[in-house]
Amino acid sequence: MKLIDAVEIAFSQEGALARAYPGFSVRQSQLDMAKAVAQTIEQRSVLVAEAGTGTGKTFAYLVPALLSMGRVLLSTASKTLQDQLFERDLPTVRHALARPVTVALLKGRANYLCLHFLQRTEQEARLPTIEDTKYLKSIQWFAKITKTGDKVDCSDVPEHAGVWNYVTSTRENCLGQSCGFYEDCFLVKARRQAQAAEVVVVNHHLFLADLAMREEAQTELLPTADVVIFDEAHQLRDIATHFFGLNVSTHQWSDLLRDIVIEGRISARDAGDWDRFVRPLENCFRDLRAELALLREIIRIPLSQLKEHKKIQEALLQVDVLAQDLSEILTQMAPRSEEWQKILQRFLELITLWRQCLGQESIKQEADMVRWLTLSHGMVQLSCSPMDVANAFQKCREGDPKAWIFTSATLSVQGNMSHFTHGLGLDQAQSYVWPSPFDYSKQALLCIPEDGPSPKQANFNIALCDTLWPLLQASDGGVFYLCTTLRATQQVGDWLQSKNSEFKLSWTVLVQGTRSKGELLDQFRSQAKPILVGSASFWEGVDVKGQSLRLVVIDKIPFAPPDDPLVAARSDWMRNQGMNPFRDMAIPEAAIALKQGSGRLIRDQSDRGVLVIGDNRILSEQYGKLLWRSLPPFARTRRLDEAVHYMKQLVTEFQALGVKH
């Protein structure tokens, strides 16, 4: 039987899915997508599929993938979806199809507890805080009971706790087969399971890191596959830009200097004071962070502009000078043990990477690269990235023929896929758009207030809040307020906190940066009247169904800042290629981001709500038409009083139904 026929039977009213789940109903768009995936698998070709929210795209690619009898690699943009696929969706489809395929979950090494570094930390590490010491005890207990070593399963210790840096490994410091814990290593076990499994779930970062390592002929982490499926594929190009370039950070240096001190205390006390040996470099990085912090809290600056900042430039160059003294000491230590040899190797690789990112040493593919420096949350990172990743991504698809499926709810701009396909070298791919089955015109109202402030005015964020105050009051919570900058996020959060206090409201105002993303979302779902204010990370990958979320506000059209080094460099490169960077890059990317943000509101057929876009350029500027037409077909108004009336009716209905709001 052909795969496409087997898929049709599985999705039929009498098929496997309907038998396993009595409430299952066939959606034509879902079936059409599943058949397209099946055809792509049979032909070992390439498919680009946009499937709007509610289409059921996960089942649409899982059913043909599991029925294909081949090895399948599933890649997602986020660990959240990765876990969802592995723990919920895959078992569901596997059970329905009665296909006892073996499945494995594989994450990056930083997600797995390292027994070697746990032991070393227990012996010698001086943890920086009392809280880290408390967390270490929880990790010690976790190490005795866990089968996977996945830190997400260690519920007593937050994923981003600093202590994890002490008890996980990196590619640079891993001892490999010479490690005394190699046979018990959680990462090694996960990789072995992945090599043996018929279906492996990874994320884009791990997939692309593996590609980068294959380019260097080092290793191949991921098993060969017959079918490769990318969900949340709209993020692939940005992630690929990072992995096909070079990056080095003061965080990597801090990890290495910490490991040098710990190893020195364990095995080389006779050599001298190890804190003193690393202190010059530590001071240099501290001074570098301090000088950058004087410019702005978060900064991205092209290296070509550093001539204007002599102290920053001097600090960057001083790293190489100071590294020479430490290099001599490490060279003397290397004959003592394999640990010291590994540390010396890491040190030499890191200083080489530092020089390459600064442009002091040549690298492959030097043409069409951009170098810049980033300061974020106290970490300085040097980056060197390619302008175009299409050729590199095409190379990764060469060799044994496979089926490649790229899918997301947001790949097209007004039905056109060219921005996505051209960026990844997929111009010859078969592409389809399946719209959402939701009745947006009945489920939601889009308002662009006619009397709203101009996005160009200095106090825009506060002025927009003042304009929307009646609607925020009418909603009485259940709000996502999505901002395009962290500065706006803070301003809006402060304004809402002030109003909450002034009017003695019972809102729970949650602001990005005060807790982790997961904690903020958990609190949003558990509170009666929550308002969450966030920027980029909350525009996508967030799923809140029901009336917990009934109002989404988007402050501005999400254009990338033109002074961003990568954006500026890519714009120059596009001009040299005869393209228009605003038309060919800025507008399509803004349209996709706007679709992502607006997609937070309606996640289910029973959802209702109001979407506000506070940027009137979407109607006043010529380019706004494309953005306007790319949005779901909501009912639309320019009158805020209509949106307020709509919201009041909605809240009244919820109250009548006894829905918590």
Side-chain angles (χ1 to χ4, degrees):
M1 182 187 296
K2 286 187 175 182
L3 179 58
I4 196 168
D5 295 328
V7 166
E8 280 205 86
I9 292 171
F11 277 96
S12 69
Q13 294 290 1
E14 298 80 28
L17 296 171
R19 289 197 302 272
Y21 305 101
F24 177 81
S25 60
V26 181
R27 283 168 270 184
Q28 189 60 46
S29 56
Q30 185 183 49
L31 175 59
D32 290 344
M33 179 178 168
K35 290 163 67 176
V37 171
Q39 186 175 44
T40 301
I41 292 173
E42 287 189 322
Q43 296 175 351
R44 299 284 179 114
S45 56
V46 183
L47 172 69
V48 177
E50 177 176 288
T53 306
T55 303
K57 64 180 169 63
T58 306
F59 276 31
Y61 64 69
L62 283 181
V63 170
L66 294 190
L67 289 174
S68 70
M69 310 293 288
R71 301 191 74 185
V72 180
L73 180 65
L74 299 173
S75 181
T76 75
S78 63
K79 286 186 288 186
T80 301
L81 181 55
Q82 192 182 1
D83 288 332
Q84 177 185 310
L85 274 170
F86 181 74
E87 294 170 5
R88 191 184 74 188
D89 297 330
L90 263 169
T92 298
V93 175
R94 183 172 59 177
H95 168 73
L97 298 178
R99 293 276 297 130
V101 295
T102 54
V103 179
L105 177 69
L106 185 59
K107 299 180 181 180
R109 67 165 64 244
N111 293 279
Y112 298 97
L113 176 66
C114 173
L115 296 173
H116 167 74
F117 284 107
L118 174 62
Q119 182 187 69
R120 194 191 67 171
T121 302
E122 291 169 340
Q123 290 175 346
E124 194 57 41
R126 299 173 186 174
L127 296 173
T129 68
I130 295 175
E131 189 174 51
D132 283 331
T133 303
K134 181 187 73 174
Y135 287 151
L136 179 61
K137 292 180 180 178
S138 296
I139 292 172
Q140 289 171 315
W141 174 249
F142 172 68
K144 296 175 181 177
I145 61 172
T146 180
K147 292 182 178 180
T148 65
D150 189 340
K151 67 182 185 182
V152 75
D153 296 331
C154 185
S155 57
D156 293 338
V157 183
E159 272 193 78
H160 301 292
V163 68
W164 286 117
N165 294 327
Y166 287 80
V167 297
T168 55
S169 70
T170 66
R171 182 169 65 90
E172 293 80 13
N173 67 18
C174 176
L175 297 176
Q177 295 186 23
S178 63
C179 177
F181 295 95
Y182 184 77
E183 290 303 321
D184 296 316
C185 176
F186 295 115
L187 177 62
V188 170
K189 290 178 180 178
R191 287 179 176 172
R192 286 174 178 167
Q193 289 171 357
Q195 291 288 344
E198 295 165 89
V199 181
V200 184
V201 185
V202 298
N203 56 59
H204 300 344
H205 289 83
L206 180 58
F207 180 89
L208 289 162
D210 183 49
L211 285 185
M213 292 173 72
R214 260 183 264 175
E215 284 290 308
E216 300 168 11
Q218 290 188 33
T219 185
E220 184 172 335
L221 296 179
L222 305 173
T224 56
D226 302 300
V227 182
V228 181
I229 300 173
F230 294 99
D231 203 340
E232 300 176 309
H234 62 281
Q235 294 193 29
L236 263 175
R237 191 181 71 167
D238 286 343
I239 298 173
T241 299
H242 171 84
F243 278 101
F244 291 139
L246 300 174
N247 300 275
V248 60
S249 71
T250 54
H251 183 74
Q252 289 170 271
W253 276 108
S254 296
D255 284 350
L256 176 57
L257 297 178
R258 178 201 67 209
D259 290 348
I260 289 171
V261 171
I262 293 174
E263 189 59 37
R265 290 172 184 160
I266 292 174
S267 65
R269 291 181 183 273
D270 59 301
D273 184 350
W274 286 96
D275 287 297
R276 182 172 60 83
F277 292 156
V278 304
R279 192 169 297 124
L281 272 172
E282 289 179 334
N283 291 341
C284 182
F285 292 128
R286 183 198 62 207
D287 294 343
L288 175 61
R289 288 191 292 266
E291 287 296 329
L292 285 165
L294 293 175
L295 301 180
R296 281 203 301 270
E297 182 182 353
I298 295 181
I299 184 174
R300 297 180 79 180
I301 183 170
L303 293 190
S304 59
Q305 293 182 12
L306 287 181
K307 294 176 182 177
E308 305 168 17
H309 307 283
K310 288 189 177 180
K311 288 187 177 180
I312 295 173
Q313 193 171 37
E314 288 171 1
L316 290 169
L317 297 175
Q318 185 70 6
V319 171
D320 194 11
V321 176
L322 295 173
Q324 298 308 314
D325 294 335
L326 189 54
S327 177
E328 292 178 11
I329 297 171
L330 296 179
T331 301
Q332 294 172 14
M333 293 295 106
R336 291 196 176 198
S337 68
E338 189 160 353
E339 282 83 357
W340 281 115
Q341 291 171 22
K342 193 75 175 178
I343 284 175
L344 176 61
Q345 180 185 351
R346 286 172 62 195
F347 186 88
L348 296 176
E349 288 175 355
L350 205 55
I351 194 61
T352 297
L353 200 54
W354 188 266
R355 291 169 182 159
Q356 289 175 331
C357 286
L358 282 175
Q360 295 174 316
E361 282 192 22
S362 62
I363 59 175
K364 295 178 183 178
Q365 301 172 329
E366 187 67 39
D368 298 330
M369 303 287 279
V370 59
R371 289 180 169 84
W372 78 94
L373 178 150
T374 307
L375 173 67
S376 178
H377 306 297
M379 181 183 78
V380 179
Q381 177 168 295
L382 297 177
S383 300
C384 178
S385 295
M387 292 297 92
D388 184 23
V389 298
N391 289 336
F393 208 84
Q394 279 180 312
K395 275 186 70 177
C396 88
R397 295 191 292 109
E398 294 173 355
D400 295 334
K402 293 177 173 60
W404 297 82
I405 292 106
F406 301 80
T407 186
S408 169
T410 53
L411 293 176
S412 72
V413 179
Q414 204 177 337
N416 188 326
M417 296 276 202
S418 60
H419 177 70
F420 174 79
T421 56
H422 185 69
L424 289 176
L426 303 173
D427 297 307
Q428 303 305 313
Q430 189 79 24
S431 62
Y432 295 96
V433 175
W434 286 283
S436 169
F438 298 153
D439 191 344
Y440 285 104
S441 63
K442 292 183 178 179
Q443 290 183 245
L445 177 68
L446 165 60
C447 177
I448 300 176
E450 58 188 351
D451 55 350
S454 166
K456 296 179 181 179
Q457 69 183 64
N459 64 338
F460 169 77
N461 298 312
I462 301 305
L464 180 61
C465 286
D466 288 334
T467 299
L468 299 181
W469 176 235
L471 182 59
L472 292 165
Q473 285 181 300
S475 174
D476 197 22
V479 181
F480 268 14
Y481 201 118
L482 303 178
C483 303
T484 51
T485 66
L486 289 172
R487 181 173 178 272
T489 299
Q490 193 59 56
Q491 287 181 327
V492 172
D494 290 345
W495 186 92
L496 286 167
Q497 292 281 21
S498 175
K499 288 289 185 182
N500 197 26
S501 176
E502 178 185 350
F503 288 88
K504 294 182 172 54
L505 302 169
S506 54
W507 297 347
T508 301
V509 180
L510 307 166
V511 182
Q512 181 177 341
T514 57
R515 296 179 182 83
S516 72
K517 180 179 177 179
E519 289 173 323
L520 288 172
L521 287 172
D522 287 343
Q523 198 165 0
F524 184 92
R525 293 185 178 103
S526 66
Q527 298 297 316
K529 299 180 179 182
I531 299 182
L532 191 152
V533 189
S535 61
S537 61
F538 287 93
W539 284 61
E540 58 181 288
V542 176
D543 194 2
V544 179
K545 295 179 181 178
Q547 302 317 319
S548 294
L549 178 60
R550 50 191 171 272
L551 172 61
V552 171
V553 177
I554 295 176
D555 66 344
K556 288 185 180 180
I557 297 170
F559 286 122
D563 59 347
D564 179 280
L566 191 55
V567 173
R570 190 175 280 161
S571 296
D572 290 340
W573 179 82
M574 292 178 75
R575 290 188 193 95
N576 292 334
Q577 302 291 316
M579 294 184 281
N580 181 317
F582 186 69
R583 180 195 65 208
D584 299 327
M585 178 178 65
I587 294 176
E589 291 183 358
I592 289 171
L594 201 60
K595 285 169 66 177
Q596 283 286 345
S598 65
R600 296 315 96 210
L601 182 62
I602 303 300
R603 308 298 299 171
D604 191 81
Q605 289 182 334
S606 61
D607 286 354
R608 304 270 306 281
V610 174
L611 169 68
V612 173
I613 299 177
D615 192 333
N616 53 35
R617 290 176 297 179
I618 200 170
L619 295 175
S620 63
E621 299 293 339
Q622 186 67 27
Y623 62 77
K625 292 180 181 178
L626 188 144
L627 303 176
W628 179 255
R629 292 168 184 162
S630 294
L631 291 168
F634 299 106
R636 305 185 180 195
T637 182
R638 295 219 61 193
R639 292 179 53 184
L640 187 66
D641 61 335
E642 288 187 9
V644 171
H645 178 69
Y646 185 97
M647 180 59 72
K648 286 180 177 178
Q649 283 190 316
L650 209 56
V651 171
T652 300
E653 289 176 21
F654 300 155
Q655 290 173 334
L657 293 171
V659 177
K660 184 182 75 171
H661 77 284

